[in-house]
Amino acid sequence: QVQLVESGGGLVQPGGSLRLSCAASGSIFRINDMGWSRQAPGKQRELVAAITSGGNTNYADFVKGRFTISRDNAKNTVYLQMNSLKPEDTAVYYCNANVRSSWGSVNDYWGQGTQVTVSS
């Protein structure tokens, strides 16, 4: 079994910054792609950013230039640095990871989500 635990959400004023972290633990052989998605009230979940095991990144247009995804493979952790936050960035942010387990299976796992609220 693999668990993803997010942290770093909270309340921030427009223009402010937050850094989200997501640590994976459990029966992990290798973590492939990792990413962040978000879901605002009444809206569908949408991809924010993704990163491969080699460090290649992909961003949604609405966060390009403001958010940065990174990972520490030694710590099985993915980060999302969010700058110049806007009220429309308010959502629950979820991390996900594609994991090859110790016994060989490959599955996608999701964290429980962390609330980010951008408001004055």
Side-chain angles (χ1 to χ4, degrees):
Q1 188 71 349
V2 174
Q3 299 81 38
L4 300 181
V5 178
E6 299 121 333
S7 61
L11 173 65
V12 64
Q13 292 187 342
S17 298
L18 281 176
R19 188 192 194 207
L20 305 183
S21 300
C22 174
S25 62
S27 302
I28 298 169
F29 176 76
R30 184 181 66 241
I31 302 179
N32 301 313
D33 293 354
M34 303 184 81
W36 291 92
S37 298
R38 70 186 188 186
Q39 187 167 19
K43 295 187 177 181
Q44 291 188 331
R45 190 174 298 190
E46 57 187 359
L47 177 68
V48 174
I51 185 168
T52 67
S53 58
N56 293 318
T57 58
N58 183 43
Y59 295 93
D61 286 343
F62 52 80
V63 302
K64 283 182 179 177
R66 300 189 299 124
F67 291 10
T68 302
I69 188 171
S70 61
R71 63 190 286 174
D72 185 333
N73 291 331
K75 296 181 179 180
N76 290 335
T77 299
V78 62
Y79 306 96
L80 186 67
Q81 177 66 43
M82 304 186 294
N83 299 328
S84 302
L85 282 160
K86 306 174 182 180
E88 51 264 44
D89 293 319
T90 296
V92 178
Y93 283 71
Y94 299 90
C95 71
N96 71 280
N98 182 266
V99 178
R100 182 178 181 88
S101 69
S102 301
W103 57 86
S105 64
V106 179
N107 292 286
D108 288 323
Y109 295 90
W110 289 84
Q112 80 286 354
T114 185
Q115 177 70 46
V116 171
T117 302
V118 185
S119 175
S120 55

